[in-house]
Amino acid sequence: MNHPNIQNLAVTIDAAARDAVAIDQFTEQQRLTVDDAYEIQAASIALRQARGEKIVGMKMGLTSRAKMAQVGVDSVTWGRLSDAMLVTDGGSICMNNFVHPRAEPEIAFLMGAPLSGRVTPVEAMAAVAGVAPAVEIIDSRFQNFKFALADVIADNSSSSGFVVGSWSAPGTDLSNLAMTLLRNGRAEQIGSSAAILGNPVRSLVEAARMIAESGGRIEPGWIVLAGAATAAIALAEGDSIKVTVESLGSASFSVD
Ligand code: OOG
Ligand code: MG
């Protein structure tokens, strides 16, 4: 048996993210299982934590058809969010810190109670303290934004940054809210929250199940991103990006 060197691959993907330099796909060089890939992700995030970053939540990936089609991977994945990835609403990012960043429209949950394992949508919502419009900034560390399932999992599901708008109390029916991604005032992606597993709450249910498989749990105070409702758009210097979610408001940032 050829065992992948988890720690070496974690160091490689961590350096690629830190230096914003694209690398070759891992799976072109070796076989990696999904379990291997989550181990690499955990080890690479541990390197960030050793540098002082704090885990503030998790992101779900590939929870909509539009996203699966865009990247050619059709399994739901997850990744970790750290405090260093948080971009202030109305703030800016610097293009130099990214390889080839993209933005996508999301919904964020603020957790008021822990959540883990098999839960119903009602139980999941009962653990939610707030909901907000969000933008995720994804930036695959692999060349040409091209990857197989194990690659993207090892790469923290491409997560690179996130912007969260104002929190609302969790009373709103999230099943079919209009979502728009605007660049410089023009709508470039239009969709519905229904695209996210039929209802973003199902993404939270999946998040609880998947993190439990890794022996963890969603912590109170965490932010959980449910996954994009539409395809992502490639960012360029000078872009002003805004996501609006019906009834919830907006989140925005600009690219320097
Ligand atoms: C993978 C991450 C997908 C989402 O919201 O579906 C994701 C990628 O597109 O690079 O974050
Ligand atoms: Mg996303």
Side-chain angles (χ1 to χ4, degrees), residues 100-125:
H100 37 210
R102 297 178 176 177
E104 52 189 25
E106 305 224 3
I107 284 175
F109 293 104
L110 177 64
M111 304 307 295
L115 198 64
S116 179
R118 291 199 162 272
V119 296
T120 64
V122 171
E123 286 165 339
M125 270 323 284

Side-chain angles (χ1 to χ4, degrees), residues 59-62 67 104 106 136 138 157 225-228:
K59 57 97 29 112
M60 298 302 286
L62 308 175
K67 283 292 309 179
E104 52 189 25
E106 305 224 3
E136 186 179 22
I138 52 170
S157 292
L225 294 179

Side-chain angles (χ1 to χ4, degrees), residues 38 58-64 67-68 71 73-79 104 106 136 138 149 152-153 156-159 196-197 203 206-207 210 224-228:
Y38 278 113
M58 67 187 282
K59 57 97 29 112
M60 298 302 286
L62 308 175
T63 50
S64 67
K67 283 292 309 179
M68 288 179 176
V71 298
V73 174
D74 61 2
S75 301
V76 173
T77 69
W78 68 278
E104 52 189 25
E106 305 224 3
E136 186 179 22
I138 52 170
L149 176 62
V152 68
I153 290 169
N156 201 27
S157 292
S158 303
S159 200
I196 305 162
L197 295 179
S203 185
E206 283 304 294
M210 292 177 94
V224 179
L225 294 179

Side-chain angles (χ1 to χ4, degrees), residues 12 14 21 28 34 51 67 86-87 90 92 109 152 156-157 171 184 187 219 222:
T12 302
D14 176 61
V21 176
E28 278 176 353
V34 163
R51 292 194 295 270
K67 283 292 309 179
L86 181 63
V87 177
S92 63
F109 293 104
V152 68
N156 201 27
S157 292
N184 302 332
E219 300 290 344
W222 273 20

Side-chain angles (χ1 to χ4, degrees), residues 16-65:
R18 202 143 45 107
D19 303 341
V21 176
I23 56 172
D24 292 332
Q25 268 176 257
F26 290 158
T27 57
E28 278 176 353
Q29 297 144 56
Q30 63 202 293
R31 274 180 60 97
L32 286 179
T33 66
V34 163
D35 287 347
D36 295 334
Y38 278 113
E39 279 186 44
I40 297 166
Q41 180 191 127
S44 83
I45 300 300
L47 295 170
R48 296 194 203 185
Q49 289 177 278
R51 292 194 295 270
E53 290 184 35
K54 302 269 176 285
I55 299 303
V56 297
M58 67 187 282
K59 57 97 29 112
M60 298 302 286
L62 308 175
T63 50
S64 67
R65 292 267 149 223

